Amino acid sequence: QGMVYVIYEKKEKIDSFNVGSQVGCAVWIDYDHLLAASYDGIYLIDVDTGKMEYQGNILPSKKLRYNDGTLDSKGRFLVGTTGYKCESNGTGFLYAFENGNERILVKDVSISNGIAFSKDNRYMYYIDTPTRKIGRYRYSLDNGTVEFDKYIWYNRNREKNKRKDNKVIENNDISSENNIKKYETSSANILEDS
């Protein structure tokens, strides 16, 4: 725990950075820098020098931890929460973190997962795992705000292994990485099932 690993496949090299507490996610912000969200806070890591700069901690409670994150195309860090050593049962959030300031985008989250954007950046797709739904939100790239639009996928099968945990947006299709299916984002029609 507390480690961020960078794998350089072509160089056959692995670097590691210890941020001191459980890491929920890490995202590249440019070629040389990562943002890592750990239980103790958000750190900017220079992968060349190993220097780590504390950016702040936006967790409102020690009962929460960071779980998933991504950057929007303007460089805002969107980071979600889950329970620390337990499920948060709707007490978590999805935040936008920018220039040291945070803003709540989605409330009442249990397990934040699968943050992604449509190719044109008009929509954000988001999963709160226990809901078994993929939500689509109107996204303003100018100011980084969201407005719920609709659920584009809902699993009525209550089996635990059928939860949606992650997704990838590519050419306006969603690929869920936990029982892999490919969906067309405007209609939620299954394009591929494997």
Side-chain angles (χ1 to χ4, degrees):
Q1 288 195 6
M3 301 299 291
V4 175
Y5 295 94
V6 177
I7 300 169
Y8 300 95
E9 193 173 345
K10 290 182 181 174
K11 296 179 185 178
E12 296 182 1
K13 175 184 169 191
I14 299 174
D15 283 339
S16 61
F17 306 92
N18 189 344
V19 296
S21 63
Q22 184 175 358
V23 177
C25 63
V27 296
W28 288 101
I29 58 171
D30 61 35
Y31 188 76
D32 298 318
H33 297 90
L34 289 167
L35 273 178
S38 77
Y39 182 68
D40 290 332
I42 298 171
Y43 292 86
L44 176 66
I45 302 171
D46 184 317
V47 297
D48 286 333
T49 67
K51 181 180 176 185
M52 290 184 275
E53 292 180 30
Y54 181 75
Q55 304 295 299
N57 193 349
I58 58 179
L59 292 175
S61 163
K62 288 291 186 185
K63 293 181 180 179
L64 294 174
R65 68 172 177 84
Y66 300 109
N67 195 54
D68 192 20
T70 193
L71 294 180
D72 74 6
S73 62
K74 293 266 182 150
R76 291 180 196 94
F77 185 33
L78 276 63
V79 61
T81 64
T82 190
Y84 181 64
K85 299 186 179 182
C86 63
E87 220 172 89
S88 69
N89 296 320
T91 60
F93 304 92
L94 173 65
Y95 293 100
F97 184 73
E98 180 180 26
N99 301 321
N101 299 306
E102 83 272 359
R103 185 175 62 260
I104 295 172
L105 298 181
V106 181
K107 298 178 184 178
D108 306 321
V109 172
S110 292
I111 304 174
S112 182
N113 266 312
I115 310 158
F117 295 93
S118 61
K119 194 174 181 178
D120 62 7
N121 291 303
R122 290 179 46 222
Y123 296 103
M124 178 187 81
Y125 298 92
Y126 182 65
I127 298 169
D128 182 6
T129 301
T131 68
R132 294 172 170 81
K133 297 176 184 178
I134 300 173
R136 184 173 85 172
Y137 295 75
R138 290 180 193 87
Y139 191 75
S140 170
L141 192 56
D142 291 334
N143 59 24
T145 57
V146 299
E147 179 185 355
F148 180 75
D149 180 34
K150 65 182 179 177
Y151 290 110
I152 64 160
W153 185 89
Y154 175 61
N155 182 357
R156 288 173 178 77
N157 183 340
R158 302 302 290 175
E159 294 175 43
K160 278 193 170 196
N161 65 351
K162 297 295 183 183
R163 290 180 175 186
K164 294 290 174 214
D165 276 342
N166 295 306
K167 67 178 171 276
V168 176
I169 299 291
E170 187 175 302
N171 298 323
N172 283 345
D173 299 328
I174 295 176
S175 294
S176 172
E177 295 172 2
N178 175 353
N179 70 322
I180 298 171
K181 296 182 189 314
K182 190 172 182 181
Y183 299 88
E184 201 283 317
T185 55
S186 62
S187 67
N189 293 327
I190 295 176
L191 300 175
E192 211 175 289
D193 190 353
S194 55

